[in-house]
Amino acid sequence: MADWSNLINGIFLGLLLLQVPAAAILLSRLLKGPSRHPPLIPRTPTPDMLGSVSVVVPTLNEAERINPCLAGLSRQSYEVREIAIVDSNSQDGTRELVKAAQQQDPRFQLMTDDPLPPNWVGRPWALHNGFLQTSEQSKWFLGVDADTQPQPGLVASLVQTAETEGYDLVSLSPQFILKYPGESWLQPALLMTLLYRFDSAGVDAQVAERVMANGQCFLCRRSVLATVGGYTSARNSFCDDVTLARNIAASGFKVGFLDGAKVFKVRMYEGARETWQEWGRSLDLKDASPAAQLWCDLWLLFSVQALPLLVLSSYFLLPIPDFLVRAHGYAPLPTPSLLLGLNAFLLAIRFALLFAIAPSYDRSQAKGGWLFWLSPLADPLAVLRIFLSAFRTPTQWRGRSYHQD
């Protein structure tokens, strides 16, 4: 029986060796949270900001969700020179909705991007076309996704923050709108995979490879974007926002990723199934990361997000028979207690983080919104989704088909 005991303790010790350094890395990141930049709040523009921003919105069959975006952009003030909707030949009425908005606000412009060239993904191609066709007199370029709901004062707040803090590029994390039970449970677990791998919004990354960005609201100095060739360096990336932001940071420019929950909302996907399929395909960030970094991130997620629930549930639901560890006077090492203590601590952190991310969710319309508080139970599933995505290149993305080489 001593051999069984040694085997069991060996497994426990192996798990500890796997988890302890990952837990130390996680804690080093979370401890930066109290010093982060405060969330942006709506602001009023100043006269020197007149016509300083060109907004570009890429669209492809967005009729079901673009109206709140158009309305929100129209409520921005005189700092916005133009709002270019770059459409990829939508067939669902998107173009008609934009034309209707144009009748109410002449800043709207409807453009059609050229046919998608080889080695380009649709979204960066549309944004690149928008960059080339909008006014060079604008100091700032702002990319906005069609599923966002900009609040009044968003653009002024972005520009004032960038000017004050000296950012050349700044993007924002949104407030996510939840509506259905499944997504209320799964989506926060998927979001947590980002928080575990990277510093929280409002903490500036010290190296380009750890920069985070969100293309749903992506403000960049036009001169900087021109210097790096627009979106060409991210042309074949399915996470073009992070890829471009890291390339810009690597060129020596200052990049920030801040909390925008008070200035814009987003309704990304309808239900848990679509959240799993669509968002999960880009969360691995493999297009923006070296292979070694991707593997390290997968190890971290597995160790500190997936394992705690699995270890604790396995131990209590499938207890180790006492005779295996105490027969023949064998005294086991204290590794079981250490392992249980570490995983209980990690799970407690995970539940505590729910209060930290709660402002990032609008659950006022959600059915079964209480499932948000049980989202740590979805962590192993969320980590599995990142693993599955990390080794697959998407063949379908936002209504387009892509062929793998």
Side-chain angles (χ1 to χ4, degrees), residues 46-291:
T46 54
D48 61 298
M49 294 167 55
L50 177 65
S52 61
V53 182
S54 289
V55 180
V56 173
V57 183
T59 59
L60 175 58
N61 296 327
E62 302 283 2
E64 292 184 358
R65 54 185 178 177
I66 197 174
N67 272 331
C69 178
L70 298 177
L73 290 175
S74 186
R75 289 195 294 268
Q76 305 305 308
S77 191
Y78 55 76
E79 72 278 10
V80 174
R81 175 190 299 271
E82 57 190 339
I83 306 168
I85 311 299
V86 183
D87 187 68
S88 301
N89 291 297
S90 295
Q91 303 298 313
D92 67 340
T94 297
R95 299 174 67 88
E96 288 69 26
L97 292 174
V98 176
K99 291 176 181 177
Q102 193 174 22
Q103 299 298 316
Q104 304 297 320
D105 189 337
R107 293 178 297 177
F108 284 107
Q109 303 174 27
L110 178 60
M111 304 176 180
T112 302
D113 54 359
D114 295 332
L116 187 67
N119 300 319
W120 276 85
V121 173
R123 186 178 181 280
W125 174 243
L127 288 164
H128 186 69
N129 274 265
F131 168 68
L132 296 177
Q133 296 182 53
T134 49
S135 175
E136 295 182 1
Q137 296 180 11
S138 294
K139 184 177 181 179
W140 297 95
F141 174 93
L142 175 59
V144 174
D145 277 4
D147 56 7
T148 62
Q149 299 180 16
Q151 304 301 300
L154 162 66
V155 179
S157 182
L158 268 172
V159 173
Q160 288 184 18
T161 300
E163 296 280 9
T164 302
E165 304 292 335
Y167 289 117
D168 299 294
L169 186 160
V170 59
S171 62
L172 302 181
S173 63
Q175 185 179 60
F176 299 95
I177 301 172
L178 298 177
K179 290 187 178 180
Y180 302 113
E183 67 190 65
S184 297
W185 181 67
L186 177 62
Q187 218 252 31
L190 289 169
L191 177 66
M192 197 60 64
T193 66
L194 292 175
L195 183 59
Y196 274 33
R197 283 179 287 166
F198 305 99
D199 293 325
S200 60
V203 177
D204 290 342
Q206 300 302 309
V207 294
E209 291 79 8
R210 306 308 300 179
V211 162
M212 264 301 297
N214 179 20
Q216 293 170 323
C217 187
F218 190 94
L219 181 79
C220 186
R221 292 185 192 272
R222 189 175 186 91
S223 59
V224 170
L225 203 52
T227 298
V228 300
Y231 277 77
T232 55
S233 66
R235 60 183 175 272
N236 59 356
S237 174
F238 288 95
C239 55
D240 57 272
D241 45 7
V242 180
T243 300
L244 182 59
R246 291 180 178 177
N247 290 338
I248 288 174
S251 298
F253 298 103
K254 186 176 180 180
V255 175
F257 178 57
L258 307 180
D259 185 346
K262 296 181 178 180
V263 289
F264 89 108
K265 300 183 179 184
V266 62
R267 175 69 184 150
M268 291 176 62
Y269 304 115
E270 297 297 321
R273 180 177 180 179
E274 193 171 311
T275 300
W276 170 272
Q277 292 176 338
E278 299 296 333
W279 202 26
R281 287 190 292 189
S282 60
L283 279 177
D284 58 88
L285 305 183
K286 60 180 175 291
D287 292 347
S289 308

Side-chain angles (χ1 to χ4, degrees), residues 9 13 25 29 44 49 76 89 129 155 177 201 208 235 249 281-282 294 296 333 336 374 390 400:
N9 272 302
L13 183 59
I25 293 173
R29 292 172 180 166
T44 302
M49 294 167 55
Q76 305 305 308
N89 291 297
N129 274 265
V155 179
I177 301 172
R235 60 183 175 272
R281 287 190 292 189
S282 60
L294 178 61
C296 286
L333 294 171
L374 296 181
R400 294 181 189 266

Side-chain angles (χ1 to χ4, degrees), residues 294-317:
L294 178 61
W295 279 105
C296 286
D297 286 347
L298 292 175
W299 156 71
L300 182 84
L301 291 178
F302 177 71
S303 300
V304 297
Q305 189 175 359
L307 273 181
L309 184 66
L310 298 177
V311 168
L312 292 171
S313 59
S314 297
Y315 187 85
F316 289 108
L317 295 177

